[in-house]
Amino acid sequence: MIVLEFKAYGKPKQYSAIDEAIRTAKFVRNSCIRYWMDNKGVGKLDLNKYCTVLAKQFPFANELNSMARQACAERAWSSIVRFYDNCKKKVPGKKGFPRFKKHCHSVEYKTTGWKLCPDKKSIVFSDKKGIGKLKLKGTWDLWHFDKKLIKRVRIVRRADGYYVQFCINTDINESVSATGTTIGLDVGLKDFYTDSNGNTVPNPRFYRKGEKRLKFYQRRVSRKKKGSANRKKAINKLGKTHLKISRQRVGEACA
């Protein structure tokens, strides 16, 4: 399974619809956790059935695609299974009892509720949330993959916008010609790595370098009045700084 990510572009009304879908996904996930707490012996199938009950009770839950609601139930069940496994293994300390999510940043669809445009540069979400057609921009090419291989489509909200992720069930095999030489690498804290030839690459330490900027924006957030528009702007700026550092660290690890 590989994940391909694209930047999504739409209108402000569509972004509001995405936010509403994410809030609904959080509601379904937290409701499944509450249902498991209040009823003994609840299993994965019971949580899937409970999604139908939620759709009948709450109109806004019914607006979300049925498979998207099932994906929320699966998320809740994965946290429950993790708690059970930690109890069986007698992990010391906290066992990770399932908790209600206060902040949620994504909504996940399975094989329905969305449709790729023929040019595969746009995607249309067809549930009742009203997300509609979003333009996709990225370096990946979806032409190489059959639509049947796409098992999940996830909309992710980040500080710098919205992204669409495609989870594709395929294997990537790359043939690399042998050079006839071998080399050993030692990864450390002082240096990023040292090879067997004595060459070293210094550790970039992106987080340490960005700590001053993070402290600066954190102070700006703490000085703003809670609930104000200026506080939201400061929080968004702080989130973008965190996002930049995390991407730098991921790029460092991939390199």
Side-chain angles (χ1 to χ4, degrees), residues 20-187:
E20 176 60 26
I22 292 175
R23 283 193 294 267
T24 304
K26 180 181 68 173
F27 169 79
V28 174
R29 189 260 181 196
N30 290 341
S31 299
C32 289
I33 294 293
R34 171 55 65 186
Y35 182 72
W36 169 76
M37 291 179 179
D38 296 340
N39 298 275
K40 187 177 180 180
V42 172
K44 181 179 179 179
L45 184 60
D46 297 320
L47 294 184
N48 289 336
K49 293 180 179 178
Y50 186 63
C51 291
T52 305
V53 177
L54 291 174
K56 293 180 180 179
Q57 291 181 348
F58 303 96
F60 65 89
N62 188 38
E63 292 176 353
L64 189 65
N65 179 264
S66 60
M67 283 195 172
R69 295 195 300 266
Q70 291 180 8
C72 299
E74 290 177 1
R75 287 185 180 184
W77 182 247
S78 64
S79 63
I80 295 171
V81 170
R82 183 171 60 251
F83 169 68
Y84 284 153
D85 292 340
N86 291 337
C87 291
K88 292 178 181 178
K89 295 176 182 177
K90 298 183 179 180
V91 176
K94 295 182 178 179
K95 305 297 188 297
F97 189 84
R99 300 173 61 181
F100 300 116
K101 271 196 174 184
K102 184 178 180 181
H103 302 289
C104 186
H105 303 283
S106 64
V107 57
E108 188 174 82
Y109 294 78
K110 289 186 178 181
T111 55
T112 62
W114 59 273
K115 183 179 180 181
L116 270 177
C117 295
D119 59 356
K120 294 193 176 182
K121 293 183 179 180
S122 302
I123 186 172
V124 179
F125 292 91
S126 56
D127 57 356
K128 298 178 183 179
K129 286 298 181 183
I131 298 175
K133 184 178 180 179
L134 298 174
K135 294 182 180 180
L136 303 176
K137 185 177 181 180
T139 57
W140 302 101
D141 192 357
L142 287 174
W143 282 105
H144 296 295
F145 306 100
D146 187 6
K147 181 184 175 182
K148 296 180 180 178
L149 298 176
I150 302 176
K151 301 302 180 183
R152 302 278 175 126
V153 174
R154 187 183 300 117
I155 307 178
V156 183
R157 179 181 61 205
R158 295 200 177 101
D160 62 341
Y162 297 84
Y163 293 81
V164 176
Q165 295 178 345
F166 295 88
C167 299
I168 302 175
N169 187 17
T170 184
D171 295 326
I172 296 180
N173 298 320
E174 295 183 2
S175 58
V176 180
S177 59
T179 60
T181 59
T182 59
I183 190 172
L185 297 177
D186 180 26
V187 181

